[in-house]
Amino acid sequence: MKKHVVLYKALSAQLMARLQAQADVTLIERLDAQGLAQLRNALPGAHGLLGASLKLDAALLDLAPNLQAIASVSVGVDNYDIDYLTERRILLSNTPDVLTETTADTGFALILATARRVVELANLIRAGQWQKSIGPEHFGSDVHGKTLGIIGMGRIGEALAQRGHFGFGMPVIYHSHSPKPAIEQRFNARYCSLETLLRQADFICLTLPLTAETQGLIGEHAFAQMRPESIFINISRGKVVDEAALIDALRNGQIRAAGLDVFEREPLSADSPLLQMDNVVATPHMGSATHETREAMARCAVENLLAALAGERPVNLVNPGAWKG
Ligand code: DGY
């Protein structure tokens, strides 16, 4: 008998066909109130779940006594209670690697857009205010040759370092759990304490996952150590930053600008003070959002789920403790 999969993210026709060849599929098209009600109805019969951007807490998953596997279409797994899943022997998988380069591209888009004031100056033309050559009041700052500071040297951090070092001739400094000699050698990067990084980097790029340890890590104290020329970039998770402290730091001129793809609460409210500031470039959590990469992530999630439901260990298993072997 086919297993039952509940999808809460639409798939391409090709991937849908691949999944339907192996499983009975219920698709929840939208995660609005009606969609959530459909999800609750479908959970009791679900063996597998596939989707993203939904907090799947114990209260919800208790409705799914037959659940064997969840395939998240994301690299981040902060929407899941991993201890709970492991206790219930539910295999959780994610989609690393396939989104690394695209997300690092987004990081550099934010670096360039903030430093060179791309959005602000493009808006100036749209507003009909380009009447003479722009002067120093509209000049930006260089990117090439400036110091790139990376907090969290995982795959995406490494891809940022590669772009900074080879593409823009930037000295790279980084902070992570432990030094990474191979990366230091490849990119001539220097490991340093978080404090040193905050004080020395021109671009402070956050690539850490959201965990109990990293939540609120970049707050008032951290912003106080940055320099007025520093530009802060966040492509990881909004909750790693104390957003009120970030707003204060921007208002008080403690930092020059911020490029933000993620926020404490998403979608970001249209009345957020961040959206009133010319020196903030805000994007709607689009780090991996290209046609190619989102399709690759979905394919990876489908393969992870089908493997798990066939009794095989998924390639991107997040909670090995749930695997019986
Ligand atoms: C990820 O893959 O974790 C992206 O941030 C999308 O949530």
Side-chain angles (χ1 to χ4, degrees), residues 211-291:
T211 62
E213 197 190 347
T214 63
Q215 181 153 1
L217 179 74
I218 306 298
E220 196 183 331
H221 180 68
F223 288 113
Q225 292 170 76
M226 299 181 195
R227 288 174 293 116
E229 313 81 55
S230 307
I231 294 183
F232 178 69
I233 305 290
N234 189 2
I235 53 169
S236 63
R237 285 293 185 266
K239 289 195 171 103
V240 180
V241 178
D242 175 345
E243 207 162 274
L246 167 62
I247 291 168
D248 282 347
L250 286 159
R251 277 192 178 135
N252 302 337
Q254 278 175 284
I255 59 174
R256 172 171 293 164
L260 308 169
D261 188 44
V262 287
F263 303 89
E264 238 172 48
R265 300 193 67 165
E266 296 179 8
L268 180 66
S269 165
D271 63 8
S272 165
L274 290 168
L275 300 179
Q276 308 301 318
M277 300 182 191
D278 281 339
N279 55 346
V280 171
V281 175
T283 52
H285 202 146
M286 52 159 242
S288 61
T290 65
H291 291 294

Side-chain angles (χ1 to χ4, degrees), residues 52-53 72-79 94-96 99 103 156 235-237 261-262 266 285-289 294 297:
S53 312
S72 186
V73 191
S74 68
V75 66
V77 288
D78 42 289
N79 272 332
N94 67 345
T95 60
L99 50 58
T103 308
I156 294 169
I235 53 169
S236 63
R237 285 293 185 266
D261 188 44
V262 287
E266 296 179 8
H285 202 146
M286 52 159 242
S288 61
R294 284 294 168 87
M297 289 166 70

